[in-house]
Amino acid sequence: MRLLESKKGLSFFAFEHSEEYQQAQHKFLVAVESMEPNNIVVLLQTSPYHVDSLLQLSDACRFQEDQEMARDLVERALYSMECAFHPLFSLTSGACRLDYRRPENRSFYLALYKQMSFLEKRGCPRTALEYCKLILSLEPDEDPLCMLLLIDHLALRARNYEYLIRLFQEWEAHRNLSQLPNFAFSVPLAYFLLSQHTDLPEHERSSAREKASLLIQQALTMFPGVLLPLLESCSVRPDTTVSSHRFFGPNAEISQPPALSQLVSLYLGRSHFLWKEPATMSWLEENVHEVLQAVDAGDPAVEACENRRKVLYQRAPRNIHRHVILSEIKEAVAALPPDVTTQSVMGFDPLPPSDTIYSYVRPERKGEEEWSVIWGSQLCVCRPRSFPSPSNVRGLVCQPLWQAKSHQPWKHNCTLLPVTVAKLCHGGGEARGRSGRGSEPQPGPEQADAGCTRHDGQLPPQRPGGAARGRR
């Protein structure tokens, strides 16, 4: 990591990749293109602290429900990046910035996000909230992972109501947080839950209750399409006065813009259970009837909110789409626009910014290429000649050369050469296959071979007493 500049009390940093790490990064991209997780395992044999490989393999373990291994890999990635911190880089000062447009910095964002998600699932919302604050502090203006869509949920789960209220009060003027459905509903809920604290003086509890009622009525007026899906998620059946009214009826949800529907689905999929308490539902019911009376009386605020919805929510920005993909909430992912769902999304770099700042480029691959696949405890190297797509290599994860004659589950004309994984770990001799023909360039990634240079400054398998400082 290096310090780029310091101005106005802020310090701007960037991670750097050494030449050895760049080579490992190129081989990682090749392994990703092969669509075979075992190729990433081979790469980690020679570069055990390659961050993107650790994060990608963590996702693979999580999909296979090996949560413990997935967490360990993320923690290992964070440790690797921590060892590369600049001496002036501080996680607690709030004055250090990392530009998300630089690919080298994105790994740190994603590692922190994945660690935060694991902490939340393990029942540690307060610690997860601190991670969320950290991610937001790295680039609060752009907010590349859109942590403002999550921070309110974690604050409510951690019962840190005062922090959520203070954040809303200080940021509302310049960030318009009330225009986000999650803040519009979470802040009044925080006021209401705060008013339930018996240790507060009576006048403070009464003031918090009044503020909560005022804000929830504004939220219901601005986002009427939230009410019925929220009640349905909480298994509450509304009375006919509410469900049949034109303002809160089914048309309210159908008529809202797609971008707003995506935000609503994200909020409900994540936070609906916070509203299930009987006292909360009773308070919500009172305010719903207050809003209905204002609508029937022709309150001009109702029409103003309707016009605002049509103007503000035409299309969600890219950071919101990126957040939805990382959240993996089915309802929100299903609401993504077609231009996002039709493009390939890489788990190690979801929806990269269009103005990415590259410090180095990936070299072009020429000539004949090799695939590396795992079979048992051995690495099989294959040189394909006519694969129509990289995914065909998955059919080669079967058996080594000496069994191919009696059992031929594939029809590809290739040569498999067994190479023991033990030799890869020690950088030993490597067997390279030569296809008798096929001199034309072949599609597919390069071999993750045994001659791969190691991580710059090989890190020990166990965490030492003090973290080494240096470059990744």
Side-chain angles (χ1 to χ4, degrees):
M1 178 183 282
R2 65 187 176 98
L3 176 63
L4 300 178
E5 61 176 341
S6 297
K7 61 180 181 180
K8 298 181 181 180
L10 301 176
S11 300
F12 296 83
F13 296 87
F15 284 97
E16 285 186 314
H17 290 175
S18 63
E19 292 184 3
E20 292 83 359
Y21 197 94
Q22 290 180 24
Q23 294 180 18
Q25 185 71 14
H26 297 327
K27 293 183 178 182
F28 165 74
L29 297 176
V30 168
V32 170
E33 290 175 356
S34 72
M35 302 182 186
E36 177 50 59
N38 288 327
N39 289 340
I40 299 178
V41 176
V42 174
L43 177 58
L44 287 174
Q45 298 280 350
T46 55
S47 301
Y49 285 88
H50 183 258
V51 175
D52 285 343
S53 296
L54 292 170
L55 296 180
Q56 193 78 0
L57 191 59
S58 173
D59 285 341
C61 293
R62 184 166 54 87
F63 294 149
Q64 296 176 3
E65 299 183 358
D66 190 352
Q67 301 295 330
E68 183 177 358
M69 177 60 70
R71 289 195 300 267
D72 290 344
L73 291 170
V74 171
E75 291 177 358
R76 189 173 179 180
L78 284 172
Y79 170 60
S80 175
M81 305 194 80
E82 181 185 352
C83 291
F85 280 178
H86 191 278
L88 298 179
F89 184 78
S90 172
L91 297 176
T92 58
S93 66
C96 296
R97 301 289 185 264
L98 284 176
D99 193 345
Y100 193 81
R101 294 176 300 171
R102 297 180 178 273
E104 297 89 342
N105 294 341
R106 295 175 200 161
S107 302
F108 190 55
Y109 278 89
L110 295 176
L112 290 174
Y113 187 94
K114 293 177 187 297
Q115 179 72 349
M116 175 194 66
S117 300
F118 283 129
L119 288 168
E120 182 189 4
K121 292 176 182 177
R122 294 175 65 184
C124 305
R126 184 57 186 266
T127 308
L129 175 62
E130 299 305 319
Y131 270 84
C132 186
K133 295 178 186 178
L134 171 59
I135 299 173
L136 182 61
S137 71
L138 295 177
E139 201 171 357
D141 295 332
E142 298 297 330
D143 193 10
L145 299 187
C146 213
M147 303 311 295
L148 288 177
L149 296 179
L150 175 62
I151 195 168
D152 62 296
H153 169 77
L154 294 176
L156 289 175
R157 284 202 60 192
R159 300 182 181 180
N160 198 345
Y161 310 130
E162 295 85 353
Y163 169 77
L164 177 58
I165 293 171
R166 179 184 172 188
L167 176 65
F168 178 77
Q169 292 173 344
E170 294 182 359
W171 283 34
E172 167 63 13
H174 66 282
R175 299 297 289 269
N176 293 323
L177 297 182
S178 60
Q179 304 307 308
L180 295 173
N182 58 307
F183 268 94
F185 283 85
S186 292
V187 172
L189 180 59
Y191 272 111
F192 174 76
L193 295 175
L194 193 62
S195 69
Q196 303 298 302
H197 286 186
T198 56
D199 55 344
L200 289 178
E202 182 61 30
H203 69 280
E204 292 186 12
R205 294 172 57 190
S206 177
S207 175
R209 178 74 177 243
E210 293 177 1
K211 188 69 173 179
S213 298
L214 176 62
L215 290 177
I216 193 61
Q217 291 176 23
Q218 293 177 357
L220 290 169
T221 305
M222 183 64 190
F223 306 106
V226 175
L227 180 62
L228 291 186
L230 175 60
L231 296 179
E232 183 180 358
S233 300
C234 296
S235 301
V236 174
R237 178 177 297 180
D239 56 37
T240 55
T241 306
V242 176
S243 59
S244 61
H245 197 280
R246 59 178 177 82
F247 189 70
F248 286 123
N251 187 57
E253 182 181 2
I254 298 173
S255 61
Q256 61 189 5
L260 179 57
S261 298
Q262 187 179 66
L263 293 175
V264 171
S265 300
L266 184 67
Y267 173 68
L268 295 179
R270 176 178 282 154
S271 303
H272 69 273
F273 64 90
L274 298 173
W275 293 82
K276 286 188 174 182
E277 292 295 327
T280 304
M281 274 295 165
S282 177
W283 164 73
L284 178 62
E285 182 182 4
E286 295 175 4
N287 288 280
V288 166
H289 288 291
E290 290 290 335
V291 171
L292 286 180
Q293 292 179 7
V295 171
D296 293 336
D299 191 341
V302 176
E303 184 178 357
C305 289
E306 183 179 357
N307 295 331
R308 205 179 309 153
R309 286 195 300 272
K310 294 178 180 178
V311 174
L312 295 180
Y313 305 99
Q314 295 299 321
R315 177 175 174 80
R318 195 172 182 84
N319 62 336
I320 290 182
H321 294 160
R322 190 180 297 122
H323 178 91
V324 169
I325 292 173
L326 290 173
S327 70
E328 298 180 356
I329 296 176
K330 295 180 180 179
E331 298 83 359
V333 173
L336 286 171
D339 60 329
V340 176
T341 56
T342 55
Q343 62 177 292
S344 59
V345 178
M346 299 298 181
F348 66 94
D349 190 10
L351 298 182
S354 57
D355 55 348
T356 297
I357 301 175
Y358 293 102
S359 57
Y360 62 93
V361 295
R362 182 181 177 185
E364 295 184 2
R365 304 194 304 276
K366 298 180 180 179
E368 191 179 43
E369 297 172 344
E370 296 175 339
W371 296 84
S372 302
V373 294
I374 289 291
W375 182 83
S377 62
Q378 295 179 324
L379 174 71
C380 299
V381 181
C382 173
R383 292 194 169 207
R385 297 214 321 273
S386 58
F387 289 171
S389 67
S391 61
N392 284 345
V393 78
R394 298 176 69 90
L396 294 176
V397 189
C398 302
Q399 45 204 335
L401 178 62
W402 53 84
Q403 293 183 1
K405 294 181 180 180
S406 57
H407 304 283
Q408 298 181 357
W410 61 86
K411 299 298 182 181
H412 305 296
N413 185 5
C414 60
T415 302
L416 292 179
L417 297 177
V419 181
T420 59
V421 175
K423 292 183 179 179
L424 294 178
C425 299
H426 301 288
E430 131 186 52
R432 291 186 176 271
R434 296 291 179 186
S435 179
R437 24 188 174 145
S439 59
E440 68 276 14
Q442 303 299 329
E446 299 173 353
Q447 174 197 9
D449 55 25
C452 173
T453 53
R454 288 185 176 272
H455 191 290
D456 186 21
Q458 181 73 9
L459 297 175
Q462 296 182 353
R463 185 173 300 195
R469 305 276 179 177
R471 287 168 131 196
R472 273 175 55 228

